[in-house]
Amino acid sequence: MITHRRRRRLSATALALATLSAAACSPSLSGSPARGTTSGSAGSTVSSTSAGAGGITTPPSGLPLTSSDSPGISTRPTAGSSTATSSAGDGSGIGADGIGDPYYPTAGNGGYQVDGYDLAITYDPETNDFSGTATITGSVTEAVDLRRFNFDLQPTLEASAVTVNGEAATVEHDGAELMVTPASPLAPESKLTIVVEYGGSPELIEGGTANLGDGGWYRTQSGGALALGEPFSASAWYPANEHPSDPATFAVTVTVPDGWDVISNGIEQQSNGGAPAGMTTSRWVQAEEIPTYLTTLYIDKFTTTTGTTSAGIPIVNAFAPVSDVARYEALSKDTGAIIDLLTTYLGEYPFDSVGGIYTGEAIPFALETATRPVYANWVDEDTVVHELAHQWFGDDVFVKTWSDICLNECFASYLPWIWFADTENRDLDAVWKAQMATVARDSQFWSSPLVDMGAGNEFSAVYTRGPLALHALRAEMGDDKFFQMLKGWIADNRGRNATFDEWAAYTSQVAGTDLTDFIDAWFRGTTVPAQEFRYPGNLGG
């Protein structure tokens, strides 16, 4: 099984990969998600797939969603399994086709862990022609010799060749499962270098962002492309162990025709170096480990602004070629101030860069892609604070399973309260009391718990009930211990997967008293908290 691992930074000597080319076509932003059957490359078979799930920040109430990008929830693309499988394997030497998350049984894979992804991509936005080479490093986690293992890769992309530690491997592509059989079994704990050459026409993963819409490869109004979605997007554009319990470093080198711009996570290390005539090459490196859903790629004819935070962290923002650029630029100007305030409460900013990608698109969610969140056309100040708060809660400390998503979303939804209390002197107790007066007797509001809420329900109550629960906890603990808990939780867990139970135990430890019943009432219950817990501290009356 995948174990908790402290974050490793990407080596400065990470490989710079050669790029390839391919041919195909693609849907528009509102086009059809990936489904159906495509022809396989030699030695591979490809069958039909569908689906995914996930969540993040949603538009303010009343804003329309795009109909074709919100088909509703469906199950993860699967190679036939409908029950959870353990990533620890069964002693057969065949890695499981799921990492062991009961919500999405075939998400991720077993038998190995990934340390780093290094991608080299050539892409033509005019035709959606995509080709790539993925160099994936890691190690074997199977207790016996590993004879076969899987990556998640959507069937719209075909693997033409795979090597494992320099030797050609046998490949079968069944749905969204790329099954790799190395030339010889791999010893437990041995190091891995897998190189996958692949190409095709990337598309959307239907339901890849749960009931909020699709994930994967969006096409923009201006003809560009955007990789985005939670939990499922990475497998739409590279072979991945697509689950947050296996974070890894990430680097991508992208070659596109002249006139197109590229931005991704982390720091740009190369611009237009060694590109063929008529092409431009850009390399981006994310040195700290992150889950695959936090990787992104934006290709368009965008503009940028740059700056630094007060701590000297570079800020890079990208703005789509749309009419609202001035509004987006105005929002982005608060980035440094937001990071400064969050650092006060949460501790050191965890990455080497920060910024945002303002797409101007009618996507029904925003996403906390590491270092550079992606925003839709309805973005506002609250959303920017929310996604930047995720750089600590979700991007620095990762959930172990999707049932614990409150560790990401509840906190990211509460931190804008703190921002507005600081910048606008809002009375948060008054805000809390007003909201409670509205929902206390609303049984539907309390019906979904904030923990283990069920697959497909992860991204609902965490945005509304979550902030109420955390402000109640703050009143119960008192400000000093509450903010000690926020900062200490991040400091003790950065770069690792954590569970809600671990957070609850830590919170009681910091409080100096057992808060189990209080936390259960506010976070696990399916009715309004009992009177003894309902109005804690100065929230009573």
Side-chain angles (χ1 to χ4, degrees):
M1 63 182 293
I2 302 299
T3 58
H4 292 164
R5 293 175 289 145
R6 290 290 176 182
R7 171 174 287 151
R8 296 175 300 277
R9 287 178 60 86
L10 185 64
S11 167
T13 58
L15 293 174
L17 302 175
T19 53
L20 305 172
S21 62
C25 59
S26 169
S28 66
L29 181 69
S30 59
S32 301
R35 60 167 70 89
T37 303
T38 61
S39 58
S41 58
S44 330
T45 60
V46 179
S47 59
S48 62
T49 73
S50 64
I56 29 260
T57 303
T58 56
S61 176
L63 279 178
L65 304 183
T66 55
S67 59
S68 60
D69 292 336
S70 304
I73 190 166
S74 54
T75 58
R76 175 72 168 89
T78 177
S81 173
S82 60
T83 58
T85 55
S86 170
S87 64
D90 56 7
S92 66
I94 297 176
D97 64 355
I99 214 163
D101 192 320
Y103 280 21
Y104 305 106
T106 57
N109 303 282
Y112 65 94
Q113 67 179 26
V114 175
D115 294 337
Y117 298 93
D118 198 329
L119 312 179
I121 292 167
T122 297
Y123 181 68
D124 185 352
E126 297 293 334
T127 61
N128 202 38
D129 291 355
F130 181 108
S131 65
T133 300
T135 297
I136 303 167
T137 55
S139 59
V140 175
T141 59
E142 198 80 356
V144 299
D145 286 356
L146 183 62
R147 298 189 294 112
R148 194 184 78 191
F149 58 91
N150 293 11
F151 288 112
D152 302 302
L153 184 67
Q154 296 300 316
T156 52
L157 297 175
E158 300 175 9
S160 57
V162 178
T163 62
V164 178
N165 295 338
E167 296 186 278
T170 302
V171 180
E172 182 181 359
H173 200 169
D174 184 4
E177 297 288 341
L178 184 69
M179 295 171 282
V180 179
T181 303
S184 55
L186 305 167
E189 300 183 6
S190 61
K191 295 295 184 182
L192 293 173
T193 299
I194 302 112
V195 179
V196 182
E197 296 183 10
Y198 65 107
S201 178
E203 296 184 5
L204 294 171
I205 304 169
E206 184 178 358
T209 310
N211 58 323
L212 301 180
D214 302 328
W217 197 257
Y218 282 90
R219 298 307 308 274
T220 68
Q221 301 171 62
S222 52
L226 172 68
L228 188 70
E230 178 190 7
F232 305 116
S233 61
S235 61
W237 61 294
Y238 64 93
N241 199 16
E242 197 166 33
H243 190 272
S245 61
D246 192 13
T249 60
F250 179 76
V252 59
T253 303
V254 184
T255 300
V256 292
D258 286 344
W260 293 93
D261 303 302
V262 175
I263 195 168
S264 185
N265 309 89
I267 298 285
E268 187 176 25
Q269 290 194 345
Q270 171 186 319
S271 180
N272 207 33
M279 306 288 280
T280 298
T281 296
S282 179
R283 178 170 174 81
W284 292 82
V285 175
Q286 169 61 36
E288 298 84 10
E289 288 186 331
I290 56 173
T292 56
Y293 79 91
L294 296 176
T295 64
T296 190
L297 182 65
Y298 179 46
I299 300 169
D300 215 325
K301 298 177 180 180
F302 55 78
T303 57
T304 60
T305 61
T306 60
T308 59
T309 68
S310 63
I313 297 166
I315 301 171
V316 181
N317 296 299
F319 305 95
V322 294
S323 59
D324 280 355
V325 168
R327 181 171 73 86
Y328 302 144
E329 288 182 349
L331 281 170
S332 74
K333 289 179 180 178
D334 281 335
T335 298
I338 294 168
I339 294 298
D340 287 347
L341 180 73
L342 294 176
T343 296
T344 300
Y345 291 104
L346 307 179
E348 182 181 3
Y349 179 72
F351 300 116
D352 291 338
S353 66
V354 69
I357 298 173
Y358 296 79
T359 68
E361 298 288 345
I363 302 169
F365 59 90
L367 184 58
E368 61 268 22
T369 43
T371 72
R372 205 150 285 117
V374 175
Y375 303 111
N377 60 357
W378 47 267
V379 61
D380 57 14
E381 187 176 5
D382 185 287
T383 303
V384 174
V385 178
H386 177 110
E387 302 304 335
L388 291 177
H390 269 306
Q391 303 306 300
W392 286 265
F393 286 100
D395 295 18
D396 191 22
V397 181
F398 326 121
V399 293
K400 186 176 182 180
T401 65
W402 288 110
S403 64
D404 292 326
I405 195 63
C406 180
L407 292 179
N408 295 5
E409 299 297 346
C410 292
F411 289 87
S413 297
Y414 181 63
L415 283 158
W417 285 37
I418 296 174
W419 165 258
F420 287 114
D422 185 84
T423 59
E424 298 181 1
N425 200 32
R426 289 190 189 177
D427 183 341
L428 298 188
D429 289 350
V431 171
W432 187 92
K433 290 176 182 179
Q435 291 194 17
M436 276 297 290
T438 300
V439 302
R441 293 180 175 82
D442 182 354
S443 61
Q444 183 64 32
F445 181 86
W446 303 99
S447 62
S448 176
L450 296 173
V451 186
D452 199 14
M453 62 290 290
N457 300 316
E458 305 97 314
F459 305 101
S460 53
V462 288
Y463 303 109
T464 52
R465 182 175 167 181
L468 288 178
L470 283 171
H471 195 68
L473 178 63
R474 176 177 171 180
E476 179 73 8
M477 296 178 72
D479 278 6
D480 289 348
K481 289 187 180 296
F482 179 79
F483 288 113
Q484 178 187 343
M485 176 273 294
L486 286 186
K487 188 175 287 188
W489 172 253
I490 295 295
D492 288 356
N493 294 282
R494 64 175 56 224
R496 69 179 290 268
N497 296 98
T499 69
F500 187 87
D501 288 346
E502 290 174 331
W503 171 78
Y506 178 79
T507 299
S508 288
Q509 177 186 331
V510 172
T513 188
D514 187 354
L515 293 175
T516 300
D517 291 344
F518 186 90
I519 289 173
D520 283 352
W522 274 97
F523 291 86
R524 298 183 187 275
T526 55
T527 60
V528 64
Q531 195 68 37
E532 62 183 301
F533 305 121
R534 193 177 304 174
Y535 298 103
N538 55 337
L539 299 177

